[in-house]
Amino acid sequence: MTMPLLHDLVRAQAARAPHAIAVHHGESAMDYGTLDELARRYAAALAAAGVGPGDRVLLWDEKSAHLIGLMQAALRIGAIYVPVSPANPAQRVARIADSCRPRLIVRGSSGRAPGVTLDELLALAPREAPAWESDPDDPAYVLYTSGTSGEPKGVCVSHRNALAFVAWAVAATGLRSDDRLSNHAPLNFDLSVFDLYGAFAVGASVDLVPSDLSYSPEGLVEFLRDRGITCWYSVPSALQLMTRQGGLLDGPPPPRLRLCVFAGESFPLGEVLRLRRSWPLVRMFNWYGPTETNVCTSYEVTEADLDRTRPLPIGTACSGDTILLDETGEILVDGPTVMLGYWGRPRHRGPYRTGDLGRYDDLGHLEYHGRCDTMVKLRGHRIEPGEVEAVLLTHPGVADAVVVVAGSGLTARLHAFVVPGPGEPPTFLAMKRHCAEHLPTYMSIDRLTLVDELPRTPNGKTDRRAVLAAAGG
């Protein structure tokens, strides 16, 4: 049996249920039949613009049903789409373009960069679209992430890579055709893969969260409730902001919500258990995996976790992957979701080294213990700030925390930035005592700063560089 490709999903649903809604965007809705025809027209337009198999199409525009149709179109002619959030400044987009050398740039209507708009592209469409038979191991899309060198790195993902995750995720969550998934993440963030292709795999609909709501806690809570979302997927910090500032847990649970999935960073234990208690009928999943592997481990948060005192596990291997720990505790991932490689570099071979540290708990669930590359030597000892953070997050007075090393040499100190939870804010002395109960003396924090919230990157993760700058590092 021939393996399906990413663009086969919409085609199949258009043939099965053409009038079922595929994409909601604001007050508009597009059914599968219309999305299928739109993808055909855009495929013809791309070919007319000179785009062919293996060419890159850089997408620098706001989310829309038309942009989703263009992504489908690129796949149908064997091209590779490269989504870039419109929040990216022109200079960074130029660096990404220098890396992937797109045949075509599709931009917003502001005329801020070379390329064409969606309307201009569609005007090029002839009557017939070209046909192309892709291979499951052909590149489908490239997601650019921050590189340690300061230059963006393009994670190249094949149809097989993406569908291995999607097929597992659909089965694990029990996704159905009557589901309505939120798409909170930018399209260049790997969380969006489940939102879009999970929906398309079962004939469900995806509701695109507008960029102006992305960081509005009250707006996101209203979106979740009023749009009838059944499956929410975001980084934990979005749910934390929605809880603390948006009234997420005020009143009854969202009426249609049945799945809540989070990934991308650690979820403070007190916060996730508060969510678990408040939504007893909602299934919750903690997913883990870098962009290079998408989701490779999963843990379902259940009522049995309500008495938990250790950090939330990242679970067990999923998506057909195998998880290994080397002698240092670094997490290695091998299996079908591991990327083809970084764009412009040799193909990746063998297990992917995540740079994350892990260990197994007594039940065989993997726990995340910070980054290898943030490990420091302080006061003559090797210290992983992530391990200190994990301990701080088990304190009932802490909603969120990040630990950085400020200073150097003899003046280097562990500086904790803490977002207080409900109730009395934690004191420095209380935090020192808590550290003493769980960590060796040399890993105890030296300074404590209470903040209303932690700075975030455009993808919603903790901005450690901004935290370090605030600490004077």
Side-chain angles (χ1 to χ4, degrees):
M1 181 177 178
T2 304
M3 180 180 180
L5 304 172
L6 286 171
H7 50 283
D8 291 332
L9 303 180
V10 167
R11 279 177 167 160
Q13 298 303 336
R16 185 186 67 84
H19 301 299
I21 300 301
V23 182
H24 293 273
H25 184 218
E27 297 306 312
S28 66
M30 183 176 291
D31 63 32
Y32 275 97
T34 305
L35 180 59
D36 180 52
E37 171 60 17
L38 185 65
R40 186 202 65 77
R41 292 176 61 199
Y42 273 122
L46 288 173
V51 178
D55 287 337
R56 278 73 61 206
V57 181
L58 193 152
L59 311 178
W60 187 28
D61 201 356
E62 296 285 351
K63 297 178 188 177
S64 69
H66 271 255
L67 194 64
I68 304 302
L70 180 55
M71 293 160 63
Q72 291 288 301
L75 298 174
R76 291 184 182 196
I77 64 169
I80 304 163
Y81 68 82
V82 185
V84 179
S85 169
N88 277 273
Q91 288 186 345
R92 187 171 192 271
V93 177
R95 294 202 303 273
I96 291 173
D98 284 343
S99 168
C100 69
R101 299 292 179 183
R103 173 71 67 177
L104 184 68
I105 297 176
V106 179
R107 54 169 172 77
S109 58
S110 63
R112 56 188 171 176
V116 299
T117 65
L118 287 164
D119 288 342
E120 291 167 346
L121 177 61
L122 203 56
L124 300 175
R127 183 174 299 274
E128 296 299 325
W132 175 260
E133 293 297 326
S134 295
D135 184 87
D137 293 311
D138 285 343
Y141 55 83
V142 178
L143 303 180
Y144 273 84
T145 66
S146 297
T148 54
S149 66
E151 287 299 315
K153 292 190 302 184
V155 177
C156 191
V157 180
S158 71
H159 294 263
R160 189 187 304 275
N161 294 153
L163 285 169
F165 158 65
V166 170
W168 168 83
V170 165
T173 60
L175 214 57
R176 313 184 300 237
S177 61
D178 61 345
D179 275 317
R180 186 161 174 167
L181 291 77
S182 62
N183 169 234
H184 177 257
L187 297 181
N188 61 292
F189 197 15
D190 58 325
L191 271 68
S192 66
V193 174
F194 174 67
D195 304 335
L196 299 182
Y197 294 107
F200 298 159
V202 298
S205 63
V206 58
D207 205 322
L208 307 178
V209 178
S211 59
D212 59 354
L213 280 187
S214 293
Y215 299 101
S216 168
E218 291 182 351
L220 290 174
V221 172
E222 183 179 352
F223 182 95
L224 173 60
R225 293 183 178 277
D226 293 351
R227 309 289 291 190
I229 299 300
T230 66
C231 179
W232 178 268
Y233 185 25
S234 72
V235 292
S237 54
L239 286 163
Q240 291 173 253
L241 288 174
M242 292 163 70
T243 298
R244 293 200 297 262
Q245 301 177 23
L248 179 63
L249 302 185
D250 298 345
R256 293 197 62 210
L257 187 69
R258 68 181 194 85
L259 292 168
C260 180
V261 187
F262 35 87
E265 60 186 349
S266 298
F267 206 146
L269 184 63
E271 295 280 291
V272 71
L273 295 187
R274 183 183 175 198
L275 197 65
R276 177 68 282 167
R277 290 189 186 94
S278 301
W279 292 349
L281 301 181
V282 177
R283 292 185 72 190
M284 293 182 185
F285 291 89
N286 183 28
W287 286 352
Y288 161 84
T291 303
E292 289 84 351
T293 70
N294 208 309
V295 174
C296 57
T297 73
S298 173
Y299 182 81
E300 184 166 3
V301 187
T302 68
E303 185 179 357
D305 289 293
L306 292 178
D307 295 327
R308 171 177 294 279
T309 57
R310 293 179 62 84
L312 198 66
I314 56 176
T316 55
C318 65
S319 304
D321 290 332
T322 300
I323 302 299
L324 309 167
L325 297 183
D326 73 2
E327 64 279 2
T328 69
E330 183 179 359
I331 301 171
L332 280 64
V333 185
D334 199 7
T337 71
V338 176
M339 64 172 181
L340 294 176
Y342 296 113
W343 186 262
R345 302 186 189 180
R347 187 183 178 103
H348 179 81
R349 303 289 182 186
Y352 175 74
R353 305 189 72 92
T354 64
D356 293 332
L357 295 170
R359 75 177 62 144
Y360 288 101
D361 66 15
D362 293 340
L363 297 176
H365 296 129
L366 190 62
E367 295 179 335
Y368 172 80
H369 280 273
R371 292 283 301 168
C372 299
D373 52 16
T374 58
M375 190 171 290
V376 296
K377 197 165 187 180
L378 192 65
R379 296 185 280 267
H381 298 278
R382 288 168 63 93
I383 296 175
E384 171 50 62
E387 186 173 357
V388 184
E389 291 166 4
V391 166
L392 295 179
L393 290 171
T394 63
H395 189 281
V398 175
D400 207 353
V402 65
V403 175
V404 296
V405 177
S408 60
L410 295 176
T411 64
R413 295 290 183 268
L414 283 180
H415 191 155
F417 287 75
V418 165
V419 178
E424 191 72 21
T427 65
F428 177 60
L429 183 58
M431 290 291 90
K432 290 285 284 186
R433 286 173 177 164
H434 188 66
C435 286
E437 292 173 359
H438 299 275
L439 296 168
T441 303
Y442 66 83
M443 293 182 70
S444 181
I445 62 171
D446 302 298
R447 290 192 64 188
L448 173 69
T449 298
L450 299 181
V451 295
D452 292 333
E453 59 184 271
L454 297 174
R456 302 292 173 183
T457 67
N459 284 344
K461 296 184 181 182
T462 302
D463 189 338
R464 290 182 174 271
R465 291 184 181 178
V467 173
L468 187 59

